[in-house]
């Protein structure tokens, strides 16, 4: 059969989506090069490229690029992609446009678990000088496992709401807010029983900063993010069908309970790993999928990979801004995403169903 | 495909919704399930599609019990059109119909799936709205899209839960015509309907439910005052005009 006009039109809409992805990738490369160049130690882009291609070695510049900026930038890209994808998946799985690791309280729960490991289980070594206190995670697995277990508590509550109560998006978010405060209270409790230096360290750590990860931390984040992304892309048609409701999804042969359970487990794990290394970064997971849907529509098979690209790009841009906006002070990027994300969240709520 | 429902029972918590329901339907037949609100019509459809798990009894498709089908096997045989569906995310019409190909997908749609969908778009004359978001459609258009999705499953059995209840007159007839045309090609349909006149006109078989039990079943003769009046608690008048039966609700009893 020859292509009908409908099919041709549909193909055209797909080309637009692919184009969106290509533009995203170009911007990503540009932003990466820019982020490598700027900072308190400025390097011209040409030098950056030379260092990246290993044509120049054994210089301060080489150290700055390979040991400070590249891990930082890759962390921003991976964490941004991971959070955006976790948000996109949660929104579809729970049929909730306001869903995200942060709004459902899962980030706060993970942060509590991590703080518990750092504060009580001795998973962190403290360094403290007159100017700053910081925790260096010496047992990343313990911190991540605690963060994951704790995030599972929040996930279980949300899952039960979705599964058995058929909760509306609003109920789910209100529960998320309650869970968020509960776990934040837990984190505060840990701080209350810690000494001053430790308090400062935990507070600093919860800010959400992509600058404290080294190569090995980055490897762990990537080792979870990349398979999770593949898993979500593999399941994208299941999530497409979820949008029509549980009953329809079942009638189309999708094992709703299983797909929802595994999807939520994996997005919680992803959130927990990211949070345990870089702290809470709010709103990326919520806002990015909406921005992407605006441009390319709701088809998950494109939404998920393009959310990853856009999430990485946005977090990198935000971090670069955070590094340079009031230089020489380097802001934690979590503060900036909250400043940008909260108004966007309110906008989404007000705009409401007209947009969804 | 032949459907046999044998002594089916279902309860929500401990409240019985279906009791000992027995029905039979042959290939290409349209079974209209009628009855007042809460008589168990939707529940019956959901049990047939295994969306709900019956408490007792069994359902057979061509002699094979439905619990012996895998979920996607069943989805390749039965298409389900729910009473209402709302999406909180943007979905365009083409993608919504493509969802009906889900039971056939390994991972993503193939050339054949796209062709199938565009064929159905042509068949149901949805070309003008194919790229629009389903949220922006009228009730009648949306209903047609949902039916189109079920057709994309290439089902041998179609279950429709009050497919005409929110539609204007023209869309009601269009939707029922689609079901009739599919029946001519061999698709068996079970349709829950409120409008007894539509049931009289389109259905080859009827089952009247009252509080989860089959009150009467058979052909058009089910539509007689002796059945309708006690079940619906209304006085009715029946007119026959041009070979068609019309039921007029007169007053509540």
């Amino acid at each position: 059969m020859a292509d009908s006009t409908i099919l041709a039109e549909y193909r055209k809409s797909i080309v637009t989506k692919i184009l969106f992805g290509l533009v995203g990738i170009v911007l990503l490369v540009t932003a990466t090069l820019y982020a490598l160049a700027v900072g308190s130690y400025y390097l011209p882009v040409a030098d950056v490229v030379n260092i990246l291609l290993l044509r120049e070695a054994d210089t301060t510049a080489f150290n700055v690029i390979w040991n400070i900026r590249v891990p930082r930038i890759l962390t921003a890209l991976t964490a941004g992609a991971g959070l955006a994808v976790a948000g996109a998946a949660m929104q579809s799985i729970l049929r909730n446009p306001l869903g995200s690791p942060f709004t459902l309280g899962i980030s706060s729960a993970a942060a509590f678990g991590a703080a518990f490991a750092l504060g009580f289980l001795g998973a962190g070594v403290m360094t403290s000088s007159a100017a700053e206190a910081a925790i260096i995670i010496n047992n990343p697995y313990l911190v991540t496992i605690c963060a994951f277990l704790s995030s599972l508590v929040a996930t279980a509550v949300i899952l039960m709401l979705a599964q058995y109560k058929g909760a509306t998006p609003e109920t789910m978010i209100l529960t998320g807010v309650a869970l968020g405060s509960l776990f934040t209270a837990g984190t505060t409790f840990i701080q209350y029983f810690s000494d001053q230096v430790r308090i400062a360290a935990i507070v600093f750590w919860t800010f959400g900063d992509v600058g404290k990860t080294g190569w090995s931390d980055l490897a762990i984040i990537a080792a979870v993010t990349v398979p999770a992304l593949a898993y979500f892309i593999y399941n994208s048609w299941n999530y497409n069908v979820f949008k029509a409701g549980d009953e329809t999804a079942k009638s189309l042969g999708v094992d709703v309970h299983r797909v929802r359970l595994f999807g939520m487990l994996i997005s919680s794990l992803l959130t927990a790993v990211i949070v345990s290394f870089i702290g809470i970064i709010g709103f990326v997971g919520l806002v990015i999928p909406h921005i992407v849907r605006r441009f390319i529509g709701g088809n998950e098979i494109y939404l998920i990979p393009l959310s990853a690209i856009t999430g990485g790009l946005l977090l990198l841009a935000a971090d670069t801004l955070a590094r340079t906006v009031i230089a020489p002070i380097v802001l934690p990027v979590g503060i900036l995403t909250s400043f940008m994300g909260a108004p966007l969240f309110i906008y989404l709520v007000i705009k409401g169903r007209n947009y969804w | 495909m032949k459907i046999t429902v044998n002594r089916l029972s279902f309860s929500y918590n401990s409240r019985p919704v279906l009791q000992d329901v027995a029905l039979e339907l042959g290939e290409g037949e349209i079974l209209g399930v009628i009855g007042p609100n809460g008589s168990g019509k939707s529940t019956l459809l959901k049990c047939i599609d295994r969306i709900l798990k019956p408490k007792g009894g069994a359902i057979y498709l061509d002699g094979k019990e439905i619990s012996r089908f895998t979920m996607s096997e069943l989805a390749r045989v039965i298409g389900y059109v729910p009473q209402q569906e709302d999406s909180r995310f943007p979905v365009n019409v083409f993608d919504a119909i493509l969802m009906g190909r889900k039971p056939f997908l390994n991972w993503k749609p193939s050339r054949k799936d796209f062709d199938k969908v565009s064929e159905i778009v042509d068949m149901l004359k949805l070309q003008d709205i194919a790229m629009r978001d389903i949220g922006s459609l009228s009730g009648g258009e949306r209903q047609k899209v949902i039916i189109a999705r079920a057709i994309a499953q290439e089902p041998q059995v179609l279950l429709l839960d009050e497919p005409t209840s929110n539609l204007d007159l023209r869309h009601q007839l269009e939707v029922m015509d689609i079901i009739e045309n599919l029946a001519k090609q061999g698709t068996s349909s079970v349709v829950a309907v409120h409008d007894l006149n539509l049931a009289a006109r389109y259905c080859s078989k009827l089952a009247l439910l009252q509080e989860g039990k089959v009150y009467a079943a058979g052909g058009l003769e089910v539509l007689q005052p002796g059945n309708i009046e006690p079940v619906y608690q209304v006085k009715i008048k029946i007119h026959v005009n041009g070979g068609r039966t019309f039921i007029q609700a007169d007053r509540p009893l």
Side-chain angles (χ1 to χ4, degrees), chain A residues 200-264:
Chain A
I202 293 178
V203 167
F204 178 73
W205 171 83
T206 49
F207 275 159
D209 183 7
V210 293
K212 48 197 170 197
T213 47
W215 279 103
S216 60
D217 305 336
L218 176 62
I220 298 174
I221 300 176
V224 175
T225 305
V226 173
L229 179 62
Y231 175 83
F232 290 133
I233 292 175
Y234 179 75
N235 273 288
S236 48
W237 266 95
N238 285 333
Y239 302 153
N240 267 337
V241 170
F242 264 61
K243 277 180 284 198
D246 282 13
E247 286 178 357
T248 302
K250 276 188 201 170
S251 79
L252 292 170
V254 175
D255 190 341
V256 172
H257 291 238
R258 219 183 112 244
V259 172
R260 178 172 287 147
L261 178 67
F262 280 97
M264 283 304 285

Side-chain angles (χ1 to χ4, degrees), chain A residues 31-319:
Chain A
T32 305
L33 285 176
Y34 179 75
L36 284 167
V38 297
S40 49
Y41 188 93
Y42 177 77
L43 286 159
V45 174
D47 289 7
V48 169
V49 173
N50 276 333
I51 291 167
L52 283 180
L53 296 174
L54 304 174
R55 286 198 207 121
E56 253 175 72
D58 297 326
T59 59
T60 321
F62 183 90
N63 255 322
V64 167
I65 293 292
W66 278 105
N67 291 327
I68 299 174
R69 285 190 196 159
V70 171
R72 181 184 192 113
I73 287 164
L74 287 180
T75 303
L77 291 178
T78 323
L83 288 171
V85 167
M90 284 178 184
Q91 288 172 7
S92 312
I93 291 169
L94 301 172
R95 301 187 74 216
N96 189 341
L98 299 177
S100 77
F102 185 61
T103 46
L104 295 173
I106 294 169
S107 292
S108 305
F112 166 77
F116 184 80
L118 293 171
F120 285 172
L121 302 181
V125 179
M126 277 195 310
T127 57
S128 107
S129 62
E132 64 177 311
I135 280 186
I136 294 169
I137 298 171
N138 65 348
N139 189 341
Y141 299 106
L142 182 61
V143 177
T144 303
I145 288 166
C146 285
F148 181 50
L149 289 179
S150 166
S151 73
L152 280 184
V153 176
T155 308
V157 174
I158 298 291
L159 265 176
M160 278 192 282
L161 273 179
Q163 205 93 298
Y164 301 110
K165 288 279 172 193
T168 62
E170 291 79 7
T171 317
M172 231 180 259
I173 297 307
L174 288 175
T175 312
V177 170
L179 286 168
S181 346
L182 179 68
F183 283 106
T184 308
T187 309
T188 316
F189 181 83
I190 294 171
Q191 289 168 8
Y192 190 79
F193 286 98
S194 304
D195 55 69
Q196 260 186 3
V197 183
R198 207 169 267 267
I199 292 171
I202 293 178
V203 167
F204 178 73
W205 171 83
T206 49
F207 275 159
D209 183 7
V210 293
K212 48 197 170 197
T213 47
W215 279 103
S216 60
D217 305 336
L218 176 62
I220 298 174
I221 300 176
V224 175
T225 305
V226 173
L229 179 62
Y231 175 83
F232 290 133
I233 292 175
Y234 179 75
N235 273 288
S236 48
W237 266 95
N238 285 333
Y239 302 153
N240 267 337
V241 170
F242 264 61
K243 277 180 284 198
D246 282 13
E247 286 178 357
T248 302
K250 276 188 201 170
S251 79
L252 292 170
V254 175
D255 190 341
V256 172
H257 291 238
R258 219 183 112 244
V259 172
R260 178 172 287 147
L261 178 67
F262 280 97
M264 283 304 285
L265 283 180
I266 289 176
S267 37
S268 302
L269 174 64
L270 188 54
T271 307
V273 170
I274 293 171
V275 169
S276 62
F277 286 106
I278 65 180
I280 295 177
I281 293 185
F283 298 107
V284 172
L286 174 76
V287 172
I288 296 293
H290 286 290
I291 295 175
V292 176
R293 274 193 206 98
R294 261 261 146 108
F295 285 97
I296 63 127
N299 193 338
E300 305 283 329
I301 213 162
Y302 305 103
L303 176 67
I304 289 172
L306 293 180
S307 290
I309 293 174
T310 314
L313 176 64
L314 187 109
L315 195 57
L316 175 60
D319 181 53

Side-chain angles (χ1 to χ4, degrees), chain B:
Chain B
M1 183 167 261
K2 198 177 142 200
I3 310 166
T4 315
V5 176
N6 192 7
R7 302 204 55 182
L8 186 73
S9 309
F10 182 85
S11 38
Y12 279 115
N13 300 322
S14 58
R15 192 172 58 87
V17 183
L18 293 176
Q19 290 176 59
D20 277 346
V21 172
L23 293 167
E24 225 178 74
L25 183 67
E27 188 170 311
E29 288 186 316
I30 301 176
L31 170 69
V33 181
I34 54 177
N37 290 334
S39 57
K41 302 188 293 292
S42 301
T43 309
L44 174 62
L45 296 189
K46 285 176 194 171
C47 284
I48 298 177
D49 204 12
R50 231 173 60 189
I51 292 168
L52 296 174
K53 204 171 170 288
K55 210 181 82 183
I59 296 157
Y60 302 90
L61 297 174
D62 275 349
K64 187 177 171 187
E65 229 243 283
I66 57 161
S67 60
R68 289 172 52 219
F69 287 79
T70 66
M71 288 186 83
S72 35
E73 272 170 8
L74 202 63
R76 277 177 236 146
V77 178
I78 302 183
Y80 171 67
V81 177
Q83 204 166 41
Q84 57 175 3
E85 205 172 83
D86 64 316
S87 179
R88 300 184 182 114
F89 294 102
V91 185
N92 72 38
V93 169
F94 195 97
D95 279 336
I97 302 173
L98 199 53
M99 285 182 196
R101 300 303 295 166
K102 170 69 184 117
F104 302 88
L105 302 184
N106 283 321
W107 173 58
K108 56 184 282 189
S110 69
R111 172 82 208 202
K112 185 173 166 259
D113 299 312
F114 288 117
D115 284 345
K116 187 85 211 160
V117 171
S118 69
E119 229 173 84
I120 292 167
V121 167
D122 288 340
M123 184 173 100
L124 299 189
K125 303 193 178 57
L126 299 171
Q127 296 93 334
D128 292 342
I129 58 167
M131 288 299 135
R132 271 174 55 192
D133 189 90
I134 50 169
S136 70
L137 304 180
S138 73
E141 290 169 327
R142 204 174 311 163
Q143 190 68 3
K144 278 207 249 174
V145 172
I146 295 174
I147 292 174
R149 182 185 68 209
I151 297 174
Q153 287 171 259
E154 300 181 294
Q156 288 163 280
V157 175
L158 207 51
L159 308 172
L160 304 107
D161 198 351
E162 292 178 24
T164 56
S165 51
N166 291 315
L167 307 187
D168 60 36
L169 288 175
R170 185 188 163 86
H171 279 108
Q172 289 185 8
L173 294 180
E174 279 182 359
V175 162
M176 293 310 291
D177 282 341
I178 294 168
I179 298 165
E180 194 173 45
N181 283 331
L182 290 168
K184 280 179 194 149
Q185 294 159 32
T187 311
S188 316
S189 295
V190 183
V191 192
V193 266
H194 264 309
D195 186 329
L196 298 180
N197 290 310
L198 280 181
R201 176 164 167 195
Y202 286 96
C203 299
S204 44
K205 277 188 161 180
L206 287 168
L208 174 62
L209 295 187
Q210 184 192 32
E211 288 171 5
K213 293 181 189 145
V214 179
Y215 188 89
L220 284 184
E221 76 277 4
V222 171
L223 297 172
Q224 50 170 292
N227 290 331
I228 305 294
E229 290 184 346
V231 173
Y232 280 90
Q233 295 287 304
V234 282
K235 189 85 192 147
I236 63 161
K237 283 178 186 160
I238 292 188
H239 309 278
V240 178
N241 192 354
R244 283 208 200 128
T245 310
F246 294 92
I247 292 117
Q248 184 196 343
D250 206 27
R251 59 186 164 80
L253 282 173

Side-chain angles (χ1 to χ4, degrees), chain A residues 14-25:
Chain A
I14 291 179
V15 171
T16 320
K17 291 166 194 180
I18 294 171
L19 219 58
F20 181 90
L22 290 177
V23 171
I25 290 171

